[in-house]
Amino acid sequence: MDLFLCIPLGDDSQRESSPFINSDNDREPYYEGKNMALFEEEMDSNPMVSSLLNKLANYTNLTQGVREHEEAENEEGVRRVAVMVPQMGTFIGVYLPCMQNILGVILFLRLTWIVGTAGILGSFAIVSMCCICTLLTAISMSAIATNGVVPAGGSYYMISRSLGPEFGGAVGLCFYLGTTFAGSMYILGTIEILLTYIVPTATVFKGTDDEARLNNMRVYGTCCLVLMALVVFVGVKYVNKLALVFLACVILSIMATYAGVIKTMIEPPEFNVCLLGNRSLSNEKFETCAKTQIVKNQTVTTELWSIFCNSKYPNATCDEYFTLNNLTEIQAIPGLLSGVIKENLWGDYSPAGMYIENKDQPSVQLLDTPIDTDKPYVFNDITTYFTLLVGIYFPSVTGIMAGSNRSGDLRDAQRSIPIGTIMAILTTSFIYISCVVLFGACIEGVVLRDKFGYSVKKNPVIGILAWPSPWVIVIGSFFSCCGAGLQSLTGAPRLLQAIARDGIIPFLQVFGHGKANGEPTWALLLTVGICEIGILIASLDAVAPILSMFFLMCYLFVNLACAVQTLLCTPNWRPRFKFYHWTLSFLGMSLCLSLMFISSWYYALVAMVIAGCIYKYIEYKGAVKEWGDGIRGLSLNAARYALIRLEEAPLHTKNWRPQLLVLCKLDSDLSVKHPRLLSFSTQLKAGKGLTIVCSVLEGTYMTRGNEAKTGEQVSAMASERMKGFSHVVVSSNLRDGFSLLIQSAGLGGMKHNAVLMAWPTGWTQARDSSARRNFIETVRETTAAQQALLVAKNIDHFPSNQERLKEGTIDVWWIVHDGGLLMLLPFLLNQHKVWRKCKMRIFTVAQMDDNSIQMKKDLQMFLYHLRLDAEVEVVEMLPTSQRKRCSIPLLLMLTFELFPQPGCVIGQRAQIQSITDVSRGSIKRKKSPGAAAPSLNTPCIPEDEVVVATKQLIVTNHDDTGPSINPSAGATPDRVHMTWTKEKLIHERNKHREGMGVKDMFNMKPNQSNVRRMHTAVKLNEVVVKKSQNSQLVLLNMPGPPKNKKGDENYMEFLEVLMDGLDRVVLVRGGGREVITIYS
């Protein structure tokens, strides 16, 4: 189901942007009496149906040709754009333009040579493959073109809107390059006709060798290109008006060719070919095909004798091959009924520089004789093979996009484009196939293989077949090539301008501008520059395969676009052209890919590399566009399929990877409070796996909905090069919001399995206990949801993605085994360049009854099987008596239990120290000299002695600054008359918000469990600080919170003591499942 959201525009901040009806009645008079009162509040965003239909009826799509830029002046002299109503039908608007673009230079200059070289059967295969390829592409193109209006850009627009901006930009530029090189090919064809058949003497570089010919092509081609560019720049609208004249020349030439074929059945043309032995001779410099002739009853030598001998006398020394072989004159065009078709069925491929020979003629061959290029033989100018001919011929079937490019000119584009394009392809395919058969049935093989017509007095081979004169073909093909070249120079800049104006390729922005009337001036300059590259190649046979690659790639993606849209069955895919199927599109796509590699595998690779580079450039640097393309739909289908597959079976340990839910806090500007949290998640993921960055805003969605959208940290994630998703929810309180995210973030198999958050550093200074409660409840909920939890302390001290840690260690303190996540995290961090040079160390704790040496060996073997490189160390911790505890932890716990507010504990460390000193002085026992100093290594005393001693303390001197302890005020236990109750504790807490008094607090017995836990935290922290104080990162097992919520304050203090003295710490709590395995 397609959902379109219409957002009302305006600067009225008082009006709530909501889908509900309010009481504003400013527009009431307008709708009065129109039966629209119920919807009048939504008219700004949802117009009436009558208004919508009126706009659609008056919609005019400007033409893609030059007429959209033509300007006129009205009576006031103001320049305006003249918009003309489309009036063209199928025949004029689609059929004839496609015919003009398809028929052209290859038909007149190369098709006879292709037939002679590949034979009738080989040529039929080449023509059939290419025509079927374009027919299948036309079917796919018709489906796309009739699925909506196709504005400027033609094939680029179709592909980009069907396959996305990346594919569209890549293929659009390839199509642009193909069109530009097509202009080069047409200009080279024009110059070849000019210098070979019209004015062969007008050469700048004299000589008969290929180098002189190529240099002449470069000089004249450059001049012709500049002239055509000036015509396009100054008077491009006349190019379109002359298009029918150029098309008339093409049709007249083809009709002359068919007329000549019919005439050969009655009277073959008077063109003969001279053969020396079986070798074809160029008869440009002689008239008589004989060694001698009788003139006035005397035998005299001919021009050929002078060419092959050192003098004109009969006793001259002649070329050996000339002496041994006879001269034979045969008809160049035996005629349709001559039976020459049998000789031309099969191909005759040969390397460059070889003689063109008639295999049926008798000949005396000379062994080991070098090829004599000075004699008037006809040679192959290039090495011929089947795949080369495919690449040269394919440009002759391009041009099928001409109709879709003119959709704005058509009266009914969705009817005209399919009919006109397919009919034009069928017509031209018939012309090409019939020409292949007729050429092979009428013309001698040696003449067909003579590319430039040297053996028929330098006439085009198709020209000597045409009736009434070869000049019909010469003039017609010349104007046809000129017109096609002008059309290419007109269309290519506009295609580039359409790509540039879409803004998907940043460095092409300048080519979207032009003259005041919209003419693409800068795009025309670039087109001329690229076209000049093709002209400098100076060979039509070398340029043709280049543009074949670009056109084939364009056609490939047109077929792919149609296939993808058909298979996805998107609701918007409703083409009026119904005669298509995804199998035809895939067949066309496969045929295009095959023809690319058949024509030239290295050109195909180069074209793919160019398209791939453009694709990646648009992906990383291009503007983000959402065109509802098929690739996005394909991604959605693939994601749906993958998610369903993930749900079919439980996840195996080998496939486990951290899918992070990153809980972020936002500051007042709705930016991330701790951006290094995103950096650390990027380093932990190395850009892979699922990452969801979430935040919570307090309030209601109706009031803070826009802030929630603004707070989605897309820019922050992009700056950290973080691949993932961002989501901000609005909840009545933070606790409910984070709970909702932990429960519902993700989808199916792509739900998060680990939660990353920062340590709440401000929980001790907070007036209320919400920070502490939020943190502990998050820990409890992640444990209940069987999700791992990572808590990073001092997250702002963690390295950014731009930093490189050149040395150091990542220390893992493996206290308890909760799935192996502690082992996996250092390995994942080492994959990122920030932590790559840090070494991994693993510490574990041994009890009194453990064998430390054996534990170390077992751990080393375990790491070996896990394929992890790490140093191993076993730390021994001596247990203490169940009834004896160190005085400092004991008194800390006494204070914790009676000061529920965390600020009291941290703020009175000096008072705790004085309590400790007094308790020590009141106990009658011997102490060492160093025992007076406060230390965690203080000798332990019996618990009951401490209680008795502390009962002698009386807290006095209460003031606004908080309680103070007077150690000198002596007292006996009899003076303690105060008993703490729950009600009294609450009363005292409300009375002293900054801090509580501690009167008679020592009547209470300490909690044995809390004493043991604090003692463990202190002793473990002492060992960790000693071993890992200078490490780059410390990973610690995170103990679980107490089941009884009354001990939450103690739990936070346990963790504070555990991490005390360490800079970068990550507390890790497993999710209750194994995440690492020794098996492959």
Side-chain angles (χ1 to χ4, degrees):
M1 177 180 180
D2 293 339
L3 180 63
F4 297 92
L5 298 179
C6 299
I7 301 175
L9 301 178
D11 55 356
D12 187 4
S13 59
Q14 301 298 324
R15 179 174 297 181
E16 184 179 12
S17 299
S18 71
F20 304 112
I21 300 175
N22 56 37
S23 59
D24 187 8
N25 56 1
D26 292 340
R27 299 175 60 86
E28 184 174 352
Y30 177 78
Y31 296 106
E32 186 176 356
K34 295 189 177 184
N35 300 321
M36 300 297 293
L38 188 60
F39 299 95
E40 64 186 25
E41 296 296 336
E42 301 177 358
M43 287 301 168
D44 290 336
S45 58
N46 302 324
M48 288 188 295
V49 174
S50 58
S51 175
L52 175 66
L53 293 178
N54 182 53
K55 291 179 181 178
L56 291 176
N58 293 330
Y59 170 75
T60 300
N61 182 21
L62 295 180
T63 68
Q64 282 77 1
V66 182
R67 277 167 37 192
E68 70 181 67
H69 302 306
E70 291 179 1
E71 296 180 345
E73 293 187 1
N74 56 16
E75 289 90 0
E76 290 85 9
V78 180
R79 301 177 69 83
R80 60 179 177 84
V81 177
V83 179
M84 302 183 66
V85 179
Q87 292 293 334
M88 284 198 232
T90 303
F91 185 76
I92 298 295
V94 181
Y95 182 78
L96 291 182
C98 287
M99 289 280 292
Q100 180 186 0
N101 280 267
I102 294 174
L103 299 173
V105 61
I106 300 297
L107 172 64
F108 300 117
L109 297 184
R110 291 294 182 270
L111 188 58
T112 55
W113 173 71
I114 291 174
V115 173
T117 304
I120 295 176
L121 297 180
S123 302
F124 184 82
I126 293 173
V127 173
S128 298
M129 281 193 303
C130 296
C131 291
I132 291 173
C133 176
T134 55
L135 179 62
L136 295 175
T137 304
I139 293 173
S140 299
M141 183 204 68
S142 299
I144 299 174
T146 58
N147 194 49
V149 179
V150 179
S155 61
Y156 158 72
Y157 183 90
M158 289 188 292
I159 295 172
S160 62
R161 269 57 177 182
S162 299
L163 294 180
E166 293 86 1
F167 279 108
V171 180
L173 280 184
C174 287
F175 189 56
Y176 163 74
L177 292 175
T179 307
T180 303
F181 277 104
S184 301
M185 185 186 71
Y186 292 131
I187 292 174
L188 289 174
T190 302
I191 302 305
E192 184 176 309
I193 295 171
L194 179 68
L195 295 182
T196 306
Y197 307 120
I198 299 179
V199 280
T201 57
T203 56
V204 178
F205 297 88
K206 304 299 180 180
T208 57
D209 58 336
D210 288 340
E211 189 63 30
R213 181 175 64 85
L214 295 178
N215 288 332
N216 285 318
M217 295 281 287
R218 294 185 180 102
V219 172
Y220 278 93
T222 302
C223 296
C224 183
L225 173 63
V226 173
L227 182 61
M228 287 185 176
L230 289 176
V231 172
V232 172
F233 180 76
V234 176
V236 68
K237 55 187 175 183
Y238 299 108
V239 175
N240 279 2
K241 293 179 180 179
L242 291 174
L244 288 178
V245 176
F246 297 139
L247 179 60
C249 294
V250 175
I251 295 175
L252 183 62
S253 300
I254 293 174
M255 293 178 63
T257 303
Y258 282 112
V261 170
I262 296 173
K263 183 176 180 297
T264 60
M265 299 173 62
I266 304 170
E267 181 183 0
E270 296 293 335
F271 284 97
N272 296 320
V273 180
C274 186
L275 301 178
L276 177 59
N278 61 359
R279 300 176 184 176
S280 177
L281 296 178
S282 173
N283 59 4
E284 183 183 5
K285 296 183 180 179
F286 63 89
E287 294 292 336
T288 305
C289 183
K291 296 180 181 180
T292 59
Q293 60 180 346
I294 298 175
V295 179
K296 296 180 181 180
N297 295 326
Q298 292 183 356
T299 301
V300 296
T301 58
T302 61
E303 296 94 335
L304 274 175
W305 184 276
S306 302
I307 293 172
F308 284 93
C309 301
N310 58 2
S311 69
K312 64 179 180 178
Y313 301 106
N315 58 353
T317 302
C318 296
D319 180 80
E320 186 176 2
Y321 187 83
F322 180 76
T323 304
L324 295 177
N325 290 277
N326 296 323
L327 288 168
T328 308
E329 194 171 36
I330 61 175
Q331 276 188 313
I333 301 178
L336 190 62
L337 305 177
S338 64
V340 73
I341 187 172
K342 297 179 181 179
E343 302 173 6
N344 294 330
L345 280 177
W346 307 103
D348 187 4
Y349 302 101
S350 58
M354 292 297 293
Y355 304 108
I356 295 179
E357 299 175 338
N358 187 339
K359 305 296 184 183
D360 296 332
Q361 290 291 330
S363 173
V364 178
Q365 299 293 336
L366 301 179
L367 301 178
D368 301 330
T369 302
I371 295 177
D372 191 356
T373 57
D374 294 332
K375 299 299 187 289
Y377 295 115
V378 181
F379 300 96
N380 273 329
D381 61 332
I382 59 173
T383 301
T384 54
Y385 44 90
F386 180 80
T387 57
L388 172 72
L389 300 182
V390 174
I392 293 176
Y393 172 76
F394 187 81
S396 65
V397 296
T398 59
I400 62 175
M401 302 287 185
S404 62
N405 291 345
R406 299 165 182 261
S407 61
D409 299 330
L410 303 175
R411 190 181 303 114
D412 185 0
Q414 298 194 358
R415 178 179 178 273
S416 298
I417 289 176
I419 296 175
T421 304
I422 293 176
M423 289 302 298
I425 292 175
L426 293 177
T427 304
T428 54
S429 298
F430 171 78
I431 292 174
Y432 281 126
I433 292 175
S434 62
C435 285
V436 166
V437 176
L438 294 177
F439 290 164
C442 295
I443 306 175
E444 183 65 41
V446 290
V447 179
L448 288 173
R449 292 190 292 276
D450 184 3
K451 182 186 295 185
F452 301 105
Y454 291 133
S455 60
V456 285
K457 296 190 179 297
K458 223 172 184 179
N459 284 304
V461 176
I462 191 175
I464 64 174
L465 178 63
W467 181 85
S469 169
W471 283 100
V472 176
I473 297 296
V474 172
I475 300 301
S477 60
F478 178 80
F479 283 109
S480 170
C481 292
C482 286
L486 287 171
Q487 291 288 346
S488 297
L489 291 179
T490 303
R494 280 165 176 75
L495 177 59
L496 181 63
Q497 186 182 47
I499 299 173
R501 285 181 173 176
D502 264 344
I504 59 175
I505 305 178
F507 68 85
L508 291 182
Q509 294 287 347
V510 64
F511 300 108
H513 307 292
K515 294 193 296 186
N517 62 350
E519 287 293 329
T521 307
W522 295 106
L524 177 62
L525 291 178
L526 180 63
T527 302
V528 170
I530 298 175
C531 195
E532 177 64 18
I533 296 175
I535 289 175
L536 292 178
I537 297 175
S539 172
L540 189 149
D541 301 323
V543 173
I546 297 176
L547 64 99
S548 294
M549 293 302 110
F550 292 123
F551 277 117
L552 278 169
M553 183 167 289
C554 176
Y555 295 165
L556 184 150
F557 282 100
V558 168
N559 285 291
L560 177 62
C562 181
V564 168
Q565 296 279 25
T566 306
L567 289 175
L568 289 178
C569 298
T570 54
N572 191 55
W573 179 246
R574 303 184 301 273
R576 290 193 175 277
F577 180 75
K578 302 299 183 182
F579 304 100
Y580 68 94
H581 196 266
W582 67 267
T583 54
L584 296 178
S585 299
F586 267 111
L587 180 61
M589 183 178 64
S590 303
L591 193 55
C592 288
L593 188 63
S594 302
L595 286 175
M596 286 179 66
F597 283 92
I598 287 174
S599 302
S600 177
W601 63 268
Y602 46 89
Y603 278 161
L605 291 179
V606 170
M608 288 182 173
V609 168
I610 292 174
C613 292
I614 298 171
Y615 179 94
K616 299 306 290 185
Y617 177 81
I618 296 174
E619 186 178 18
Y620 285 105
K621 297 290 186 181
V624 177
K625 300 286 184 179
E626 176 50 53
W627 289 329
D629 53 87
I631 293 298
R632 189 171 181 85
L634 187 63
S635 300
L636 290 173
N637 272 19
R640 170 185 167 274
Y641 174 78
L643 287 172
I644 294 175
R645 286 294 304 273
L646 286 175
E647 290 292 296
E648 292 177 357
L651 187 68
H652 194 274
T653 302
K654 291 186 291 186
N655 292 325
W656 192 94
R657 62 193 64 194
Q659 313 282 17
L660 291 180
L661 175 68
V662 185
L663 300 181
C664 294
K665 289 186 178 180
L666 303 180
D667 57 19
S668 58
D669 297 330
L670 298 179
S671 58
V672 178
K673 189 175 181 180
H674 301 291
R676 292 295 171 86
L677 198 62
L678 301 182
S679 303
F680 182 66
S681 63
T682 304
Q683 297 157 17
L684 190 62
K685 303 291 294 179
K688 299 177 178 63
L690 174 69
T691 304
I692 307 176
V693 179
C694 293
S695 301
V696 178
L697 295 179
E698 288 189 277
T700 62
Y701 188 75
M702 298 303 298
T703 58
R704 305 198 67 179
N706 292 332
E707 295 181 25
K709 295 177 181 178
T710 306
E712 293 187 353
Q713 302 302 315
V714 178
S715 59
M717 294 171 65
S719 64
E720 297 293 340
R721 295 185 178 180
M722 186 179 186
K723 301 293 184 181
F725 307 96
S726 178
H727 189 46
V728 177
V729 298
V730 182
S731 178
S732 58
N733 57 73
L734 295 178
R735 175 70 250 122
D736 292 343
F738 285 126
S739 177
L740 177 66
L741 290 172
I742 292 173
Q743 295 177 57
S744 61
L747 179 64
M750 291 300 288
K751 288 182 69 68
H752 62 278
N753 54 28
V755 177
L756 173 63
M757 61 187 301
W759 172 258
T761 54
W763 74 273
T764 56
Q765 286 80 25
R767 290 177 175 268
D768 56 13
S769 58
S770 60
R772 183 188 71 244
R773 288 199 311 270
N774 290 344
F775 175 80
I776 296 177
E777 288 303 315
T778 300
V779 177
R780 288 194 174 102
E781 288 179 356
T782 54
T783 303
Q786 294 185 340
Q787 297 172 4
L789 177 63
L790 309 178
V791 181
K793 182 186 178 184
N794 297 332
I795 186 62
D796 294 329
H797 297 175
F798 278 58
S800 66
N801 288 331
Q802 287 70 37
E803 296 181 40
R804 302 291 181 269
L805 301 179
K806 298 182 179 179
E807 58 182 359
T809 60
I810 300 176
D811 290 354
V812 177
W813 284 85
W814 193 21
I815 311 300
V816 295
H817 180 66
D818 56 355
L821 183 58
L822 272 171
M823 304 289 189
L824 191 60
L825 291 179
F827 171 77
L828 296 175
L829 288 173
N830 278 137
Q831 307 306 306
H832 198 274
K833 51 192 174 183
V834 173
W835 303 90
R836 189 162 294 160
K837 295 185 179 180
C838 293
K839 296 181 179 180
M840 177 179 172
R841 296 193 303 179
I842 295 183
F843 298 89
T844 188
V845 177
Q847 304 299 325
M848 280 296 293
D849 52 350
D850 294 330
N851 187 339
S852 302
I853 298 176
Q854 187 61 37
M855 281 184 64
K856 184 173 182 179
K857 291 181 180 179
D858 293 342
L859 183 54
Q860 288 174 338
M861 181 59 65
F862 181 56
L863 292 177
Y864 175 77
H865 287 303
L866 290 177
R867 290 91 64 199
L868 296 176
D869 296 326
E871 299 178 9
V872 175
E873 186 172 344
V874 178
V875 179
E876 295 182 352
M877 292 182 63
L878 298 178
T880 56
S881 171
Q882 188 76 3
R883 289 288 299 164
K884 293 186 178 182
R885 295 287 179 256
C886 293
S887 57
I888 290 180
L890 175 61
L891 294 177
L892 279 172
M893 289 314 306
L894 287 171
T895 312
F896 294 159
E897 292 180 354
L898 296 178
F899 283 114
Q901 290 186 353
C904 299
V905 179
I906 303 301
Q908 298 180 7
R909 295 190 183 273
Q911 299 168 350
I912 294 172
Q913 181 61 52
S914 58
I915 293 174
T916 306
D917 295 339
V918 172
S919 65
R920 285 178 184 147
S922 63
I923 298 172
K924 303 295 191 287
R925 57 184 304 168
K926 294 182 180 179
K927 301 179 185 265
S928 61
S935 171
L936 293 179
N937 296 321
T938 303
C940 295
I941 60 175
E943 183 180 302
D944 51 358
E945 294 183 15
V946 175
V947 174
V948 172
T950 53
K951 283 184 179 181
Q952 300 175 4
L953 300 177
I954 296 177
V955 180
T956 58
N957 194 19
H958 288 209
D959 55 17
D960 294 338
T961 60
S964 61
I965 300 177
N966 186 2
S968 62
T972 63
D974 296 335
R975 293 181 57 185
V976 179
H977 301 291
M978 192 171 185
T979 304
W980 284 85
T981 62
K982 181 177 180 182
E983 292 78 8
K984 188 170 221 181
L985 181 60
I986 296 174
H987 175 72
E988 289 295 326
R989 180 184 299 172
N990 294 333
K991 183 178 179 181
H992 307 285
R993 302 183 63 89
E994 298 297 331
M996 286 184 56
V998 206
K999 284 186 177 179
D1000 210 7
M1001 56 181 256
F1002 301 106
N1003 278 331
M1004 305 182 64
K1005 283 279 187 177
N1007 186 294
Q1008 296 295 324
S1009 175
N1010 289 340
V1011 172
R1012 289 195 308 271
R1013 291 177 182 176
M1014 180 56 72
H1015 176 74
T1016 302
V1018 172
K1019 295 296 290 183
L1020 188 56
N1021 173 262
E1022 179 184 355
V1023 177
V1024 173
V1025 170
K1026 180 179 178 182
K1027 297 287 186 180
S1028 304
Q1029 189 170 19
N1030 296 322
S1031 64
Q1032 296 289 359
L1033 180 64
V1034 177
L1035 301 176
L1036 281 168
N1037 278 117
M1038 182 180 183
K1043 296 181 180 179
N1044 186 359
K1045 295 186 177 182
K1046 294 181 180 179
D1048 288 354
E1049 301 92 339
N1050 303 333
Y1051 176 68
M1052 298 295 287
E1053 283 292 348
F1054 296 155
L1055 298 183
E1056 283 280 8
V1057 171
L1058 184 61
M1059 297 184 292
D1060 190 31
L1062 300 173
D1063 186 20
R1064 298 174 185 149
V1065 186
V1066 176
L1067 295 177
V1068 181
R1069 184 163 176 79
R1073 62 161 296 164
E1074 293 292 332
V1075 300
I1076 193 168
T1077 178
I1078 64 174
Y1079 298 104
S1080 62

